[in-house]
Amino acid sequence: MTNAPLRWGIMGTGGIAGAFARDLRLTESGVVAAVGSRSAGSAEKFADELGIPTRHGSYEALANDPDVDVVYVATPHPMHHANARLALEAGKPVLVEKPFTMNAVEARDLVDLARARNLFLMEAMWTRFLPHVRHIRELVPRLGDVVTVAADHGQWFAEDPAFRLFAPELGGGALLDLGIYPVSFASMVLGPPERVAAMATPAFTGVDAQTSMLFGYASGAQAVLTCTLSAVSPTTATIVGTDARIEVDGPFYAPASFTVIPREGERSRFEYVDEGLGLRHEADEVALRLAAGEIESPLMPLDETVSIMTTMDEVLAATRT
């Protein structure tokens, strides 16, 4: 790779695709060169609104565009696996919106393919790359033994069966769309759980409207995580250690400030203000790794992405027993 800005191809024209395209304007590492959609009309509209030079009326055309260096898959969850596979088979590095896939089997298939072809692949868990989260990771060892991680993500959505979060065919439900953030946060701090317990309340369409999770770890630590489509929750996160705890303001998964509170002594406040929505940091990470000739990010490793999807599978199984 050269030091020239990466030419991104965006696969999908939904809200997160637009947010990514706008945030990319805040970085010098890349530009949106093309967009692809299942319909030419959708691609044209999206491109016109965001000033994107090339628009494709199919995902295949985008994946095979020689002027695209890297593909961002921003389609609905159930399409991630097929769309990412399409781009990888075309020889393109790929950033896949979270949740990475619908299950661990699909996730492992993409990871195996990327590694076999020596291509970069990463889950777009943008929280991992935010400045405040990088700082938190540095501070965790100072907390002593971590005993508890708590995080929630709740938003209110009007009950509309056509809205993707309520539509089973679009991968709807609180867990996949909102719960992935608390689950990934717990994974970042504690790794994969040894035990998983969960309870879910169904929405009127059958998807989960609310899911609560309790994870147990070999160390004796526990994670208490919740997500809901039915109400606005504090959306905060806490890491509790034997020597100190970290309390992250809400929404913890977006640019946020946090406080370190020791068992004894003065608390420390760390204020963070970020330009844009925060998605630009994951784009910078992709550019950094590609420039270094690497095929994954140490901040969001592929094996951890598969592990997280395995945990999500276990949560879903636990809610059905």
Side-chain angles (χ1 to χ4, degrees):
M1 301 296 294
T2 68
N3 290 325
L6 284 178
R7 299 172 298 178
W8 285 87
I10 297 181
M11 196 176 281
T13 57
I16 194 67
F20 182 84
R22 292 181 183 92
D23 259 28
L24 199 58
R25 297 169 180 167
L26 303 174
T27 181
E28 297 179 357
S29 70
V31 296
V32 182
V35 62
S37 177
R38 287 175 294 182
S39 74
S42 178
E44 290 285 348
K45 183 175 184 291
F46 187 88
D48 288 344
E49 289 176 354
L50 292 164
I52 299 171
T54 304
R55 51 291 306 263
H56 297 288
S58 73
Y59 298 138
E60 291 81 3
L62 178 76
N64 289 288
D65 186 336
D67 294 323
V68 167
D69 299 318
V70 56
V71 170
Y72 168 49
V73 175
T75 51
H77 313 333
M79 301 172 67
H80 287 181
H81 176 255
N83 293 160
R85 216 173 201 289
L86 182 67
L88 289 169
E89 289 172 344
K92 295 289 197 294
V94 183
L95 175 67
V96 185
E97 188 50 49
K98 54 82 205 151
F100 191 65
T101 52
M102 291 294 289
N103 53 58
V105 171
E106 291 182 350
R108 173 55 66 187
D109 179 67
L110 292 182
V111 170
D112 289 345
L113 177 60
R115 288 174 172 167
R117 301 206 172 197
N118 200 39
L119 288 168
F120 180 89
L121 177 65
M122 189 178 86
E123 179 184 3
M125 177 45 72
W126 55 289
T127 303
R128 289 290 175 98
F129 312 102
L130 295 173
H132 80 282
V133 173
R134 289 174 181 258
H135 192 181
I136 287 170
R137 294 183 80 158
E138 294 172 359
L139 295 175
V140 166
R142 304 183 194 179
L143 303 181
D145 297 328
V146 175
V147 297
T148 308
V149 170
D152 73 279
H153 188 182
Q155 298 186 36
W156 179 88
F157 297 97
E159 292 189 344
D160 177 359
F163 181 50
R164 65 180 184 84
L165 286 177
F166 290 109
E169 69 276 13
L170 296 178
L175 179 65
L176 283 173
D177 204 86
L178 306 182
I180 184 68
Y181 288 103
V183 171
S184 185
F185 187 83
S187 175
M188 180 186 75
V189 178
L190 292 170
E194 207 175 54
R195 292 167 292 156
V196 171
M199 178 183 295
T201 300
F204 68 104
T205 57
V207 303
D208 67 298
Q210 176 166 294
T211 296
S212 296
M213 297 157 271
L214 178 62
F215 297 167
Y217 299 83
S219 66
Q222 298 179 3
V224 183
L225 316 170
T226 63
C227 56
T228 180
L229 303 175
S230 304
V232 178
S233 70
T235 318
T236 56
T238 305
I239 306 169
V240 182
T242 51
D243 296 331
R245 73 180 185 270
I246 295 174
E247 295 184 350
V248 191
D249 297 351
F252 75 89
Y253 59 86
S257 299
F258 65 91
T259 305
V260 179
I261 304 169
R263 188 176 67 246
E264 298 177 352
E266 296 295 319
R267 62 179 60 199
S268 301
R269 178 72 175 168
F270 298 91
E271 300 283 351
Y272 280 92
V273 178
D274 203 26
E275 188 178 8
L277 297 176
L279 299 175
R280 63 190 177 97
H281 299 291
E282 66 182 0
D284 285 340
E285 176 72 5
V286 174
L288 176 67
R289 301 303 164 189
L290 288 178
E294 300 172 15
I295 62 171
E296 62 182 285
S297 167
L299 297 180
M300 190 66 254
L302 292 174
D303 286 340
E304 187 184 359
T305 288
V306 174
S307 172
I308 289 168
M309 292 312 306
T310 299
T311 299
M312 298 281 276
D313 287 349
E314 293 172 354
V315 170
L316 286 171
T319 64
R320 293 166 181 161
T321 58

